[in-house]
Amino acid sequence: MIALAFQRASVERPVVTVSDGQEALEYLTGEGPSKKRRPGELPMVVVLDLDMPRMDGFEFLQKMKAQPELAGIPVVVLTTSQFDQDLSRSYTAGASSCITKPGDFEQLVEIARAIETYWCRLNRVPERG
Amino acid sequence: MGAGTAFQNLSVRHKVTLILALTMVPVVALMILFLVTVRQLLAVQDEVVSMSAAVTHTGAILSKIVDVQDGFRGFVLTRNEKFLVPFYEADESIDPAVHRLKEMVGHDPDFLSRVAQIEAQTRALLQKKKRLIDAVRLGEMEPVRRHIESGEGQAALNHIRADLAAFEETLKADLKKEQDLAQRLAALTLYGLGAGFAGILVLWWLGGRLLARTITDPLAMLTTVTRQFGRERSVAQIPINTRDEIGALARTMEEMEGRIERHIGQMEAFHAIGNDISSLDPGGLEGVLKRLAERASGVLDVDLCLVLLWSDTIGCWRIGAASGAWHDLLRGTVMIREETPVATKALETGVPQVVPDLAIRPEAVLQIRDRLGGKSLLVVPLRGQEKAFGVLAFASTRGKRAFTDWEVHLAQQFADQAAIAVLNARLYESAQQRGEGLENRLQELERYSANMAHDLKGPARRMAELASLLQLDYKGRLDERADRYLGWIKENGQQLMARIEEVLRLARIGTVRETVEPVDPAVVIREVLKGCEEHVRRLGARVRVVEQLPRLACNRVHLFQVLDNLVRNALKFSADGRPPELAIGVVAKGNESALFVRDNGIGIASSDRERIFEPFERLGHEEVPGTGIGLAIVKKIIEFYQGRIWVESEPGAGTTFYFTLPLYSEVVPVEEESKEAEA
């Protein structure tokens, strides 16, 4: 759904979608069989849905932040509720931002646009060596 | 040494008699000696007195004889009768005088013969003189003249005088001798007495010492040892080895102290077990039983103590605990009923069983004899409320031994303690298990509902999102009905999401510790009103807030949730065609201050005033938007702070919600239900 929202938001940057935590990690490390990324090209931001099969969002976040070359990538977490413990756990695990999923597609599109604007245009990260 | 030992072995009575005899015999002997001496001294003294009287008498007799001579001469010369007066007087007194003398010296035959001789001479002389006097009276002078001329009279007289004088000398010498004897005797008596007394004193001292050594000192020692035992409870060997009554007393006391010590030990053991039982430690029942077996085997001086618990389910004995190293070997193992007949009998009869010699019945397999090497056995039942549920078995492995009634009694005491421990522990464990079970189930349910809510939210959201996507993409391409349906799907999905969100919010209250701080309700009310500013303006509502509100001690967000819910609620349920009027203030109710939120809305029927605080109770106002969980959240927050919330309402005229939260400790003027609020 969020991928669709990015599409609708007319984000021109390439958006890569993976279906679970395992695949995401393999993509980022470049080890996996699927979705080869070009070497030296890492995403500007990772949008993470906590509800994923195989490897859940927290496990992915911990493994990703444990790798020095990936730890610097900002992660925006999409949570279901603002009242469960997901929020605090996400920030503890190294999330840069948390957003509650709205339950309205139009709002979701706005969120996708906002993520693109903020994390890809305004946010600054150190130059990768 | 031989005599000393013989003396030591005498009884106290004999010892005392012997010592008394030893000290009294010399005293009596001395007294007898003294009496004899005194008697002799008295006899000598008598002698001396009669001797000196005899001496005096002899002198008197001599002077009378001279008187006779003088009287005779005077008469012969003058023929005057007057001169004869002393003569006759002398004549008359000589006889008694001689007789007296004889008496005085009568004890000595020598003296007596000499006196008799003198008496005879004197009589002869006097006879002669009397004859001559008679002749003179007749005028015959011739015999007188011849007598005088012959000097016969003179000679006789002289002879008598010489004899008397010699006798007197003899007497005097004798007297002197007697006096010397008397003196010697007196001196002897004096020194003898002194020495005797000294000797007696020494003897008495020795006797006293002996008495002290044999009687007083041991008694004093017994006293000291007894006192020491009373004070320090140190059982000492009493160093009195005699075979008399005191020695026996010492042995008895040693035995008694030993017994007292043992009994105190037993009491301490029971006390410790009692403490042990009343404070169930992490070691639990097994630890308590093990310590009990340990103590019981020590107190009863047996090699092995087993706590056997009967298991009805398997019909066998389970070993609950054992003393010493046996514990780790035997704990939890099982004994067959057929191989433990003594224990089984104790269990069934509820009566202690004593088997002094397990060697009897060699044909049967006896677990305690054949596997554990028991030679003697004592088994006492662990008595429950209705029947025995186990036994305490005491076995001696070193040798056969009997068990006294007292030991059986003690063993039963231990068994009773063990029974209490087992029953306590079973009660405790079952209660705890039940409690833990409930707690676990509750927690499980809470987790389950939270998870369920969480899991439900995803699909609800996706449903709403997909509906809105469809609306976006296919608006105008479907007919009007389809558009409406899509709108409903989206709304319902969002509603579902909101409700689940509220459920999670409700579940969260009380599970996470929030910071409690002093909160000014006025500030929070301003935030709340700012949040629904738009709403208030649209409805044309008027809100009045009392200026001074007491500060509360709670979490700021909690107070916000409470007031936000109540204010939105008040705005929501406004009566048709009437702009809502809200009043927020404080009122003193009893001894507490309650904040209130009042509206002029539709009101709540009295039958519904409790139900409104239940989750999802909407009281049929389907046209009013909301999740139906707001008041449940409010109530849960208030109750979390142990406050109260209640509602007063008049259907059609308005509703007032009152709630209490802990007041922050400070002095604040609390206004009575203000006029502004009344208005």
Side-chain angles (χ1 to χ4, degrees):
Chain A
M1 196 65 79
I2 186 72
L4 202 57
F6 270 104
Q7 210 178 310
R8 288 299 164 86
S10 321
V11 172
E12 285 166 7
R13 293 167 196 279
V15 176
V16 178
T17 315
V18 292
S19 57
D20 62 59
Q22 185 69 39
E23 209 180 311
L25 209 60
E26 282 165 1
Y27 170 77
L28 287 175
T29 54
E31 286 166 358
S34 60
K35 305 250 167 105
K36 291 285 179 201
R37 68 174 166 90
R38 274 184 281 172
E41 210 170 69
L42 281 168
M44 296 184 81
V45 64
V46 173
V47 179
L48 174 67
D49 190 332
L50 285 178
D51 288 328
M52 288 190 295
R54 282 222 281 178
M55 185 191 290
D56 78 7
F58 293 113
E59 199 181 340
F60 165 76
L61 203 51
Q62 276 162 3
K63 286 193 171 156
M64 181 191 153
K65 290 289 170 185
Q67 301 199 20
E69 66 269 28
L70 304 179
I73 305 172
V75 178
V76 175
V77 173
L78 295 179
T79 68
T80 303
S81 162
Q82 61 167 311
F83 280 102
D84 54 28
Q85 292 172 357
D86 293 356
L87 273 181
S88 54
R89 274 180 77 192
S90 301
Y91 280 115
T92 311
S96 310
S97 173
C98 289
I99 296 168
T100 310
K101 286 184 265 184
D104 183 292
F105 189 74
E106 280 179 80
Q107 286 181 33
L108 201 61
V109 172
E110 275 174 37
I111 287 169
R113 202 171 284 135
I115 289 175
E116 196 270 338
T117 310
Y118 183 80
W119 291 105
C120 302
R121 294 176 202 268
L122 302 173
N123 191 44
R124 284 285 168 268
V125 290
E127 291 287 323
R128 292 197 184 94
Chain B
M1 198 65 206
T5 315
F7 179 75
Q8 291 292 346
N9 292 343
L10 287 175
S11 73
V12 170
R13 198 162 54 119
H14 290 143
K15 275 179 187 166
V16 172
T17 315
L18 194 67
I19 291 166
L20 282 180
L22 278 174
T23 49
M24 288 315 288
V25 163
V27 173
V28 172
L30 191 71
M31 276 174 68
I32 292 170
L33 198 68
F34 177 68
L35 282 175
V36 168
T37 319
V38 167
R39 229 184 112 189
Q40 203 160 4
L41 190 63
L42 284 174
V44 171
Q45 211 71 41
D46 268 359
E47 198 94 333
V48 168
V49 170
S50 61
M51 281 297 182
S52 58
V55 169
T56 318
H57 247 78
T58 314
I61 291 169
L62 194 60
S63 76
K64 282 192 171 60
I65 286 170
V66 172
D67 283 352
V68 166
Q69 182 69 6
D70 285 350
F72 174 71
R73 272 195 188 157
F75 176 71
V76 170
L77 289 176
T78 62
R79 292 192 197 161
N80 190 342
E81 284 284 332
K82 178 178 76 173
F83 284 102
L84 284 178
V85 174
F87 175 84
Y88 286 116
E89 273 179 11
D91 179 37
E92 271 171 28
S93 62
I94 275 176
D95 259 3
V98 169
H99 188 71
R100 291 265 306 281
L101 187 59
K102 266 175 155 174
E103 274 177 7
M104 286 172 189
V105 300
H107 59 277
D108 193 332
D110 180 39
F111 287 168
L112 211 57
S113 71
R114 283 177 73 175
V115 172
Q117 205 184 342
I118 289 166
E119 187 189 7
Q121 285 175 359
T122 313
R123 277 188 200 288
L125 185 69
L126 281 172
Q127 289 299 319
K128 183 81 180 186
K129 295 288 190 215
K130 279 176 188 171
R131 270 198 315 273
L132 290 172
I133 289 166
D134 286 345
V136 170
R137 280 184 185 141
L138 295 170
E140 295 171 17
M141 294 303 287
E142 194 50 37
V144 178
R145 196 178 45 85
R146 260 200 330 267
H147 174 75
I148 291 167
E149 280 176 357
S150 70
E152 187 186 340
Q154 190 64 42
L157 185 71
N158 283 347
H159 195 253
I160 289 169
R161 285 175 70 176
D163 273 359
L164 270 172
F167 184 60
E168 196 179 355
E169 282 309 310
T170 313
L171 277 178
K172 276 184 179 163
D174 220 38
L175 178 63
K176 178 88 174 72
K177 217 163 73 191
E178 291 288 342
Q179 275 173 336
D180 285 352
L181 182 63
Q183 256 178 7
R184 271 208 312 282
L185 271 175
L188 192 69
T189 312
L190 193 67
Y191 293 132
L193 269 179
F197 271 124
I200 285 166
L201 283 180
V202 169
L203 264 177
W204 280 1
W205 181 72
L206 283 174
R209 280 290 308 275
L210 201 55
L211 216 60
R213 265 186 55 185
T214 52
I215 297 166
T216 323
D217 288 355
L219 282 178
M221 189 181 287
L222 278 181
T223 314
T224 314
V225 170
T226 313
R227 276 216 195 102
Q228 201 176 343
F229 180 74
R231 260 201 317 273
E232 302 163 17
R233 246 186 66 210
S234 59
V235 180
Q237 180 106 33
I238 304 171
I240 298 173
N241 301 315
T242 54
R243 266 188 245 162
D244 58 7
E245 291 93 326
I246 295 175
L249 186 64
R251 298 286 85 73
T252 314
M253 272 198 49
E254 277 177 2
E255 198 193 325
M256 197 175 70
E257 284 180 358
R259 275 190 195 191
I260 291 172
E261 180 61 28
R262 270 205 306 284
H263 282 244
I264 292 174
Q266 288 158 2
M267 277 165 57
E268 281 175 347
F270 282 125
H271 180 70
I273 290 167
N275 278 348
D276 222 0
I277 291 169
S278 54
S279 58
L280 266 181
D281 63 346
L285 178 63
E286 188 188 312
V288 170
L289 290 182
K290 172 161 168 37
R291 285 192 288 282
L292 186 132
E294 215 72 76
R295 290 210 176 87
S297 68
V299 168
L300 271 95
D301 192 26
V302 291
D303 310 300
L304 167 62
C305 174
L306 293 174
V307 183
L308 299 178
L309 301 173
W310 178 253
S311 166
D312 260 337
T313 47
I314 56 171
C316 288
W317 296 101
R318 200 177 53 75
I319 300 182
S323 59
W326 295 100
H327 184 75
D328 293 331
L329 295 172
L330 299 175
R331 163 189 56 163
T333 60
V334 165
M335 282 189 177
I336 309 295
R337 176 194 159 96
E338 285 71 26
E339 293 175 359
T340 51
V342 184
T344 306
K345 194 173 175 197
L347 181 81
E348 283 168 356
T349 59
V351 176
Q353 303 292 320
V354 181
V355 185
D357 187 358
L358 278 174
I360 53 162
R361 303 183 61 191
E363 75 287 353
V365 177
L366 299 180
Q367 183 108 8
I368 287 173
R369 179 189 68 195
D370 301 337
R371 308 267 151 74
L372 307 179
K375 300 214 166 48
S376 301
L377 182 62
L378 162 64
V379 182
V380 285
L382 301 182
R383 297 178 289 205
Q385 268 183 334
E386 286 163 14
K387 59 187 183 85
F389 57 87
V391 296
L392 219 56
F394 298 89
S396 163
T397 57
R398 279 170 299 180
K400 283 182 282 204
R401 61 165 288 182
F403 291 94
T404 63
D405 286 349
W406 171 246
E407 282 169 328
V408 174
H409 174 72
L410 272 182
Q412 189 60 61
Q413 299 284 311
F414 276 112
D416 290 348
Q417 298 281 346
I420 293 169
V422 172
L423 291 176
N424 270 0
R426 285 182 179 171
L427 209 64
Y428 177 76
E429 275 169 16
S430 66
Q432 207 176 30
Q433 275 167 4
R434 218 171 300 148
E436 273 174 8
L438 270 179
E439 189 112 323
N440 286 343
R441 277 191 67 76
L442 267 177
Q443 278 179 357
E444 207 175 294
L445 273 173
E446 272 184 16
R447 258 201 312 278
Y448 178 72
S449 44
N451 282 342
M452 195 175 67
H454 191 274
D455 287 347
L456 279 175
K457 214 184 157 191
R461 192 197 64 240
R462 271 191 291 281
M463 185 175 85
E465 281 172 354
L466 278 169
S468 86
L469 178 61
L470 279 173
Q471 266 188 331
L472 205 67
D473 283 4
Y474 294 92
K475 189 130 188 157
R477 284 199 261 168
L478 301 168
D479 63 5
E480 198 182 317
R481 249 179 356 165
D483 278 348
R484 206 161 59 238
Y485 291 159
L486 274 176
W488 285 346
I489 292 172
K490 183 180 150 190
E491 265 173 37
N492 276 299
Q494 283 171 344
Q495 186 103 31
L496 194 59
M497 274 174 70
R499 283 197 190 189
I500 291 166
E501 189 73 6
E502 293 294 88
V503 168
L504 287 171
R505 197 198 291 263
L506 180 70
R508 190 181 146 85
I509 297 163
T511 59
V512 181
R513 185 170 293 283
E514 309 284 4
T515 46
V516 171
E517 58 208 329
V519 183
D520 185 354
V523 176
V524 178
I525 289 166
R526 273 202 294 279
E527 285 172 17
V528 169
L529 293 177
K530 200 169 181 188
C532 43
E533 209 171 18
E534 171 68 30
H535 201 171
V536 168
R537 200 183 307 131
R538 204 172 58 236
L539 291 170
R542 288 205 299 145
V543 181
R544 276 178 274 185
V545 183
V546 168
E547 272 178 16
Q548 272 197 315
L549 290 166
R551 286 212 281 176
L552 303 173
C554 62
N555 179 262
R556 188 189 183 84
V557 176
H558 281 161
L559 183 62
F560 180 87
Q561 283 177 352
V562 169
L563 287 167
D564 190 53
N565 269 299
L566 292 178
V567 167
R568 283 177 193 275
N569 218 52
L571 292 173
K572 224 185 279 176
F573 294 98
S574 55
D576 292 337
R578 205 164 55 194
E581 285 189 13
L582 268 65
I584 303 171
V586 63
V587 61
K589 288 269 178 181
N591 55 356
E592 55 192 353
S593 296
L595 293 185
F596 66 86
V597 176
R598 172 171 303 155
D599 62 51
N600 60 344
I602 53 175
I604 303 165
S606 59
S607 56
D608 294 332
R609 281 176 204 162
E610 286 304 312
R611 279 174 56 208
I612 51 167
F613 295 110
E614 298 295 318
F616 309 120
E617 289 288 348
R618 305 274 327 264
L619 306 181
H621 301 291
E622 290 301 333
E623 72 285 0
V624 182
T627 57
I629 207 163
L631 285 177
I633 290 175
V634 169
K635 187 166 189 256
K636 200 169 174 190
I637 290 174
I638 299 294
E639 284 175 352
F640 173 72
Y641 290 99
Q642 291 172 336
R644 289 194 309 126
I645 180 161
W646 70 98
V647 64
E648 289 173 7
S649 179
E650 203 181 314
T655 307
T656 309
F657 281 95
Y658 295 92
F659 65 92
T660 63
L661 280 172
L663 288 173
Y664 179 64
S665 320
E666 60 181 352
V667 182
V668 163
V670 177
E671 286 181 30
E672 289 297 310
E673 202 160 344
S674 66
K675 281 174 191 161
E676 194 183 6
E678 290 287 341

